[in-house]
Amino acid sequence: MFFVDTIETAGLGNRSYLAGGQRSAVVVDPPRDIDRVIAAAARRGVRIALVVETHLHNDYVTGGLELARVTGARYLVPATARVAFARVPVSDGDVTPVDDGLALRALATPGHTPHHTSYVLAEKGRDVAVFTGGSLLIGSVGRPDLVEPRLTAELARAQHASAHRLADELADAVPVLPTHGFGSFCSSSQAEGSATTIGDERERNDALVKDVDTFVADLLAALDDVPAYYAHMGPANAAGPAPLDLTPPDPADAEEIARRLAAGEWVVDLRSRVAFAEGHVAGSFNFEGEGLLATYLAWLIPWGKPVTLLASTATDLADAQRELSRVGMSRPVAAATGGPEDWAGTATALRSSHRSDFAGLAAARERGEDPVVLDVRRDSEHRTGAVTGAVHIPLHELPKRLGEVPPGVVWVHCAGGTRAAIAASMLDAAGREVVAVDDGFGAAAQAGLCPTVPVPAP
């Protein structure tokens, strides 16, 4: 009997897979921290014989090259992907044994990238699963605009054709196991659910229910912002990523933290937004360790800029370092544990900030305080509904547009509170008086702040 184990990287919205039989297995689209994969194989008691990539990833650094080196596995990469390292080139139709009676068949499914390849797992000639990477996702497809703008429309059409090829060649009962689509910005849209089959997708996936022209037009119109760090992931994966370094960063005391802040480096407080508001080092930024830490920190920080991490515990620091390494952020230059009193050195280096909700914002307006309202959601979210009179600057644009925020007390909001806390910390570091709205955006309409109830953002 075969097995398929899912290795989830929730912070990036991705899944990797370990699939095999009694003795050996294949790993599909491995994460950079390969120790998780090796541990999964050890639990199964199998040898990793194959490591395969569906494509050169744009949203994370792969662990495939290092995993193959450590385990001695064959490293399969689509033949037309341009890489600077030795690998086994895979072409459409290639069949590779995995274990007794278990084999992997390559299907060319361009669209997310020109070289994208899906892999069908077959047991004794019967298709039992398909690993679709960034091709056919759960209710969606991988976005086609991450390679080259001039290829976007062409790749969108290829996505439609690839989805139909998968649906035409595979039975309805075959499970679809994508890499992207669980919150990843590599997905062209987000869909509910965690499992699907070819038959399920045949009934609901736009690529399979719409004609090609309608599908392409709708897909291109819905494409959203691309995280800035994506520009660095493809080249890193093509060059061959270096082995992961998770050794602890150098410890930083209050004097070191102050020195790094004075040098213009980023000092990032990983504690909850509630704890940060109660007290923090002046000039530090708040990116909560839980949630989409890597996505937002890597998106906003100037690439390659030194970062110092502050956390309550060593475990929190280690978790954050691992998460950031997955998107190619190098080892933090320094770190400290404890609390703001330990990190600030002097009372004058400590600050606190305010939190509220949309009802509080409405009350402030009723009192005639005339607060500045800053909406840091993405453009697509803003179009679904907005607070009357709000200034709109998407979070990823805020560091370069702080000067555009009008004078006065700034009430900053997003769709749920996480991004508002990040933005509030940046405004606070710039010396602005700020209130972070920690509330779901649906409450804005209930408080009479916007004319329509918006569609909740994923």
Side-chain angles (χ1 to χ4, degrees):
M1 289 292 293
F2 75 96
F3 70 86
V4 178
D5 291 341
T6 300
I7 302 168
E8 191 161 6
T9 305
L12 297 177
N14 288 326
R15 289 179 176 177
S16 306
Y17 300 94
L18 174 75
Q22 290 186 337
R23 289 184 295 275
S24 58
V26 57
V27 179
V28 182
D29 289 342
R32 193 180 190 193
D33 46 334
I34 61 173
D35 55 325
R36 294 191 293 150
V37 182
I38 293 171
R43 287 192 293 271
R44 283 287 186 178
V46 294
R47 176 179 66 91
I48 297 175
L50 300 172
V51 177
V52 304
E53 304 281 6
T54 57
H55 61 294
L56 293 183
H57 304 284
N58 290 288
D59 63 330
Y60 72 94
V61 178
T62 180
L65 184 63
E66 180 67 1
L67 181 60
R69 184 190 69 80
V70 168
T71 62
R74 299 176 71 203
Y75 189 26
L76 278 59
V77 178
T80 54
R82 296 183 178 181
V83 296
F85 50 83
R87 90 289 194 200
V88 178
V90 178
S91 299
D92 185 50
D94 287 353
V95 176
T96 306
V98 177
D99 198 58
D100 292 344
L102 201 63
L104 207 62
R105 181 173 79 256
L107 287 182
T109 48
H112 187 47
T113 67
H115 58 264
H116 191 283
T117 301
S118 298
Y119 298 91
V120 180
L121 185 68
E123 183 183 45
K124 296 180 180 179
R126 180 177 66 92
D127 297 338
V128 292
V130 58
F131 303 100
T132 55
S135 183
L136 190 65
L137 310 184
I138 299 179
S140 185
V141 295
R143 59 192 300 167
D145 60 329
L146 302 179
V147 177
E148 160 61 54
R150 292 171 295 182
L151 295 178
T152 297
E154 176 185 336
L155 289 176
R157 288 185 172 273
Q159 277 290 51
H160 188 271
S162 292
H164 278 266
R165 182 185 185 189
L166 290 166
D168 290 345
E169 296 192 17
L170 300 173
D172 282 353
V174 174
V176 174
L177 304 174
T179 301
H180 305 311
F182 310 95
S184 168
F185 281 86
C186 272
S187 177
S188 61
S189 64
Q190 299 303 322
E192 295 182 358
S194 59
T196 192
T197 64
I198 289 292
D200 292 336
E201 294 309 304
R202 196 189 304 278
E203 296 295 323
R204 64 169 175 169
N205 197 297
D206 282 355
L208 297 173
V209 300
K210 294 181 179 179
D211 66 83
V212 62
D213 290 333
T214 302
F215 168 77
V216 170
D218 291 347
L219 176 62
L220 297 184
L223 290 175
D224 210 338
D225 302 303
V226 178
Y229 70 89
Y230 275 28
H232 305 280
M233 299 298 96
N237 288 323
L244 185 59
D245 180 7
L246 291 178
T247 56
D250 296 335
D253 57 16
E255 183 178 348
E256 174 77 358
I257 292 168
R259 185 183 69 79
R260 293 193 174 279
L261 283 168
E265 297 181 8
W266 279 36
V267 174
V268 172
D269 190 328
L270 300 167
R271 295 175 302 143
S272 74
R273 54 187 183 259
V274 175
F276 182 86
E278 291 175 350
H280 55 268
V281 177
S284 62
F285 299 143
N286 181 215
F287 289 79
E288 293 178 302
E290 296 185 1
L292 300 179
L293 168 66
T295 294
Y296 286 116
L297 181 52
W299 195 340
L300 271 66
I301 192 171
W303 195 250
K305 196 174 188 69
V307 62
T308 296
L309 300 180
L310 309 178
S312 298
T313 68
T315 298
D316 293 340
L317 276 180
D319 290 346
Q321 184 177 349
R322 177 181 290 267
E323 184 75 8
L324 295 175
S325 72
R326 294 168 179 160
V327 295
M329 287 189 65
S330 59
R331 183 168 164 265
V333 294
T337 58
E341 296 81 6
D342 305 308
W343 309 326
T346 64
T348 57
L350 277 174
R351 285 180 62 89
S352 61
S353 53
H354 302 287
R355 297 170 54 251
S356 189
D357 53 20
F358 283 110
L361 174 57
R365 282 186 166 180
E366 291 173 1
R367 292 192 298 267
E369 296 179 9
D370 194 25
V372 176
V373 181
L374 176 64
D375 179 349
V376 296
R377 295 173 302 155
R378 297 188 301 276
D379 289 340
S380 60
E381 297 171 278
H382 183 74
R383 288 193 293 268
T384 67
V387 172
T388 303
V391 176
H392 177 227
I393 302 177
L395 175 62
H396 61 276
E397 298 178 9
L398 185 60
K400 294 182 179 179
R401 298 178 61 186
L402 282 171
E404 298 178 28
V405 181
V409 179
V410 183
W411 288 63
V412 57
H413 78 84
C414 59
T418 299
R419 287 171 291 173
I422 296 171
S425 71
M426 292 183 163
L427 289 161
D428 177 83
R432 299 296 300 271
E433 185 176 354
V434 63
V435 180
V437 178
D438 195 353
D439 204 356
F441 190 64
Q446 297 171 10
L449 293 168
C450 56
T452 59
V453 177
V455 177

